[in-house]
Amino acid sequence: GDPATVEVSAPADVTVETVGRGDARLGTAGTPVDRVAAQAYSAFEKATVVTVPEETVLDEPVRITVRGEGGTSFGHQVVELGAFAEAVVVIEHTGSGVLAANVDYVLGA
């Protein structure tokens, strides 16, 4: 099947990027600790990076929607929160399929 799709709804102050495996921010929160997480980390092709700038206080949540399109897929998301920033992040999974994914939370970056 097709890979899962990722859509992000965020306030204007938030930066949302789709990056390749070589981006230096990927994996900075730690390494996978189990087999499924390790497989997901070694198999994803693109990652979504959501960055909230330092000292930013968001009035509305950041919403990350991961939609399964059937089949098996691998994913990776990074949520970076700058120093003294405040945000609510909601990750919602919908659709069908099998997804193995990791989410890195980098706080005070």
Side-chain angles (χ1 to χ4, degrees):
D2 294 328
T5 59
V6 178
E7 296 175 9
V8 179
S9 172
D13 294 343
V14 176
T15 302
V16 178
E17 304 168 81
T18 301
V19 300
R21 295 186 59 81
D23 191 284
R25 295 170 288 186
L26 302 177
T28 59
T31 57
V33 295
D34 60 48
R35 293 182 116 177
V36 174
Q39 176 64 40
Y41 191 77
S42 67
F44 77 89
E45 294 179 13
K46 294 182 182 177
T48 302
V49 178
V50 176
T51 305
V52 180
E54 64 182 27
E55 299 184 16
T56 299
V57 177
L58 299 180
D59 293 333
E60 59 187 83
V62 174
R63 296 187 181 279
I64 302 171
T65 302
V66 182
R67 184 168 293 111
E69 304 292 339
T72 300
S73 58
F74 303 97
H76 196 93
Q77 286 89 43
V78 177
V79 177
E80 291 183 317
L81 207 61
F84 305 106
E86 296 179 23
V88 172
V89 178
V90 178
I91 302 176
E92 179 181 21
H93 292 89
T94 64
S96 63
V98 177
L99 171 69
N102 293 293
V103 180
D104 291 346
Y105 295 97
V106 182
L107 307 177

